[in-house]
């Protein structure tokens, strides 16, 4: 019977199975976050040959794609760069917006890559945008339903929570092609438009591949969390006799 209470709230943290399944993924996440910051900082010290800022590069790529209506704006914070599909705006952190480094070009081009995906109706991005509200519901209400279902021994309620949580997992998985594709576009566009010179390609690739690892780690973490719930609910690995 106590088993049923283990995944309530932070109780999951005390479950050895949870640790065994999730600890490697959490370590990978920590490492990926560290590597992303280190790579960005490393190449933020390296000026790019053309002396362009991230904002210049983003504007140049967007204009050449005919996306004059997509805005490029400065945004507070460090590594807070993103593309917002709702108002078609590329927001770049100060180091990227004003920076004239390899890192600034890599990140600016990556976010611009998302704007191009949007314009070309790249389907994984469309699915991800649609999934955002369901995914945030899944990560909040999903956990609550799983916990309450287990507390009250209502397997159906827990299962409903797991189904909701699956939306979060799908969101993390669909994020992978979206992010990898944006980075591939970034590398190609920077080179094709002559924004970077050949000797700068390796640095750009290093900055972008480190960032991609954070998404891989997040996807692995969410898949393993789902598997953990399925095992604890007896859906996988046989129902536990109590
Ligand atoms: Zn991205």
């Amino acid at each position: 019977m106590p088993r049923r209470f283990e995944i309530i709230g932070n109780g999951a943290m005390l479950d050895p199975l949870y640790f065994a399944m999730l600890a490697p993924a959490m370590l990978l996440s920590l490492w990926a976050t560290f590597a992303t910051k280190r790579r960005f900082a490393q190449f933020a010290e390296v000026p790019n040959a053309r002396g362009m800022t991230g904002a210049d590069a983003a504007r140049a790529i967007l204009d050449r794609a005919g996306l004059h209506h997509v805005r490029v704006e400065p945004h507070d914070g460090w590594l807070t760069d993103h593309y917002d599909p709702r108002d078609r705006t590329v927001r770049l952190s100060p180091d990227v917006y004003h920076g004239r480094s390899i890192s600034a070009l890599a990140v600016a081009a990556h976010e611009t890559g998302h704007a191009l995906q949007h314009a070309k109706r790249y389907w994984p991005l469309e699915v991800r945008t649609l999934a955002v509200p369901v995914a945030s519901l899944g990560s909040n209400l999903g956990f609550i339903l799983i916990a309450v279902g287990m507390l009250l021994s209502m397997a159906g309620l827990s299962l409903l929570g797991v189904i909701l949580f699956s939306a979060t997992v799908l969101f993390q998985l669909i994020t992978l092609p979206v992010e990898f594709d944006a980075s591939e576009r970034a590398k190609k566009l920077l080179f094709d438009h002559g924004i970077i010179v050949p000797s700068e390609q390796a640095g750009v690739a290093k900055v972008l591949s480190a960032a991609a690892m954070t998404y891989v780690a997040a996807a692995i973490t969410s898949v393993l969390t789902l598997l953990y719930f399925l095992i604890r609910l007896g859906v996988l690995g046989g129902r536990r006799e109590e």
Side-chain angles (χ1 to χ4, degrees), residues 59 61-71 112 115-116 119:
R59 191 69 267 158
I61 293 170
L62 290 168
D63 287 349
R64 288 183 76 153
L67 300 178
H68 306 284
H69 57 286
V70 175
R71 285 175 296 161
T112 311
L116 293 183

Side-chain angles (χ1 to χ4, degrees), residues 40 43-44 46-62 72-74 81 90-112 190 193-196 200 204:
F40 181 87
F43 285 95
V46 183
N48 64 70
R50 303 245 184 275
M52 284 177 89
T53 64
D56 292 339
R59 191 69 267 158
I61 293 170
L62 290 168
V72 179
E73 289 179 353
D81 312 81
V90 172
R91 295 204 174 85
L92 302 175
S93 61
D95 284 351
V96 173
Y97 190 91
H98 302 290
R100 297 177 190 272
S101 65
I102 297 286
S103 287
L105 294 187
V107 173
H110 172 94
E111 299 310 335
T112 311
L190 285 173
H193 295 346
I195 297 170
I196 57 167
E200 295 174 322
V204 167

Side-chain angles (χ1 to χ4, degrees), residues 7 11 20 42-43 48 51 57 74 83 92 103-104 115-116 133 142 148 153 167 180 186 204 214 230 241:
I7 81 154
Q42 181 189 351
F43 285 95
N48 64 70
Y83 168 69
L92 302 175
S103 287
L116 293 183
V148 172
S153 293
F180 279 98
V204 167
T214 58
L230 291 175
E241 289 302 322

Side-chain angles (χ1 to χ4, degrees), residues 63-199:
D63 287 349
R64 288 183 76 153
L67 300 178
H68 306 284
H69 57 286
V70 175
R71 285 175 296 161
V72 179
E73 289 179 353
H75 186 72
D76 285 342
W78 196 57
L79 292 179
T80 52
D81 312 81
H82 62 277
Y83 168 69
D84 191 337
R86 289 167 300 182
D87 54 7
R88 294 178 189 269
T89 303
V90 172
R91 295 204 174 85
L92 302 175
S93 61
D95 284 351
V96 173
Y97 190 91
H98 302 290
R100 297 177 190 272
S101 65
I102 297 286
S103 287
L105 294 187
V107 173
H110 172 94
E111 299 310 335
T112 311
H114 287 310
L116 293 183
Q117 289 173 337
H118 191 195
K120 293 178 196 279
R121 303 184 71 86
Y122 175 67
W123 73 264
L125 179 73
E126 306 228 310
V127 172
R128 187 174 76 160
T129 305
L130 286 175
V132 171
V134 193
S136 61
L137 188 71
S139 65
N140 298 315
L141 186 60
F143 274 118
I144 293 170
L145 290 184
I146 293 167
V148 172
M150 290 203 140
L151 189 65
L152 303 178
S153 293
M154 292 169 70
L157 202 60
S158 292
L159 213 54
L160 185 65
V162 168
I163 291 166
L164 271 177
F165 182 71
S166 303
T168 309
V169 178
L170 280 176
F171 174 80
Q172 300 279 12
L173 290 176
I174 200 75
T175 292
L176 295 180
V178 173
E179 295 304 331
F180 279 98
D181 178 81
S183 287
E184 285 309 310
R185 285 176 200 262
K187 286 186 267 187
K188 190 174 184 317
L189 291 163
L190 285 173
F191 188 68
D192 289 355
H193 295 346
I195 297 170
I196 57 167
V197 297
S199 63

